[in-house]
Structures are given as C-alpha cells and as structure tokens.
Amino acid sequence: FHSTKEGKRYMELKLLEKAGLIRELELQPAFLLIPTFKKNGKTYRKTTYIADFKYFDVELGKYIVEDVKSPATAKDKVYRLKIKMLLYQHDIDFKEVI
C-alpha cells in the first residue's frame, strides 16, 4: 500500500466484507478518462484514474470508489481534475478518506 493509512483502510474494508456489508472489494481499480487518440499526426496516450478501492455497498445498493489521501495530496490540482472527470464519466459514488 502507498501509506499506512491506506493499509489500515483496507483492513477495515476486509472486515466489512467479511460481515457481509460490502462485497466485490477491488484494489487499485482503473477508470479510463480519455482514450488514446491521434491529432495532427501525434499520438496522445490514454489518461486513467487509479483509485485505491472499489466495492459494492450492500446497504446502499451501489458501487463506491474510495481514495485515501493526505490533506496536502487531496488539494493537488491534477488529482482534483481527474476526480471531476471520473464523476462526470462514470456512474459511481466517490468517497475521499483523508
């Protein structure tokens, strides 16, 4: 895990999964934001967002995508832009754990 905090959150989610409150826990799910494309003879690589966790919340009946961030990292402009793109393009609920 990238941090102790992220590892701790994983353990919490595993307990929730064992209790049947969540299911389909996935680590490092990737979401396509912009596909690879060509413009004026130049190829631009795809842009993805990789979250920390994705799972199905049984009580809410929907998928949740989580990212564990430090307060400083959560303010990063590229990160904030990627979150906007993620929410615009994908029908998921996003939870930021700071």
Side-chain angles (χ1 to χ4, degrees):
F1 295 101
H2 291 115
S3 68
T4 303
K5 190 174 184 178
E6 185 180 331
K8 183 180 175 185
R9 181 60 181 154
Y10 172 73
M11 297 306 292
E12 292 169 354
L13 290 172
K14 287 301 285 181
L15 289 173
L16 292 173
E17 186 176 45
K18 189 173 184 179
L21 299 173
I22 67 169
R23 64 175 193 251
E24 302 174 46
L25 178 60
E26 186 180 338
L27 303 176
Q28 305 293 307
F31 297 89
L32 181 64
L33 301 177
I34 304 170
T36 299
F37 67 96
K38 291 184 179 188
K39 180 108 179 168
N40 299 327
K42 183 176 179 183
T43 300
Y44 294 86
R45 295 186 333 181
K46 67 181 177 180
T47 300
T48 57
Y49 171 72
I50 300 174
D52 292 327
F53 310 107
K54 177 183 173 188
Y55 55 86
F56 186 81
D57 186 306
V58 174
E59 186 176 307
L60 297 175
K62 58 186 167 183
Y63 285 96
I64 307 292
V65 174
E66 275 192 23
D67 216 338
V68 178
K69 293 289 183 206
S70 69
T73 307
K75 294 178 184 178
D76 179 75
K77 289 179 182 181
V78 172
Y79 167 72
R80 302 284 357 139
L81 179 60
K82 283 187 171 188
I83 295 305
K84 281 184 186 179
M85 294 171 72
L86 173 75
L87 294 174
Y88 179 76
Q89 295 180 19
H90 297 275
D91 186 24
I92 50 101
D93 278 17
F94 181 76
K95 182 177 178 183
E96 196 172 64
V97 180
I98 296 178

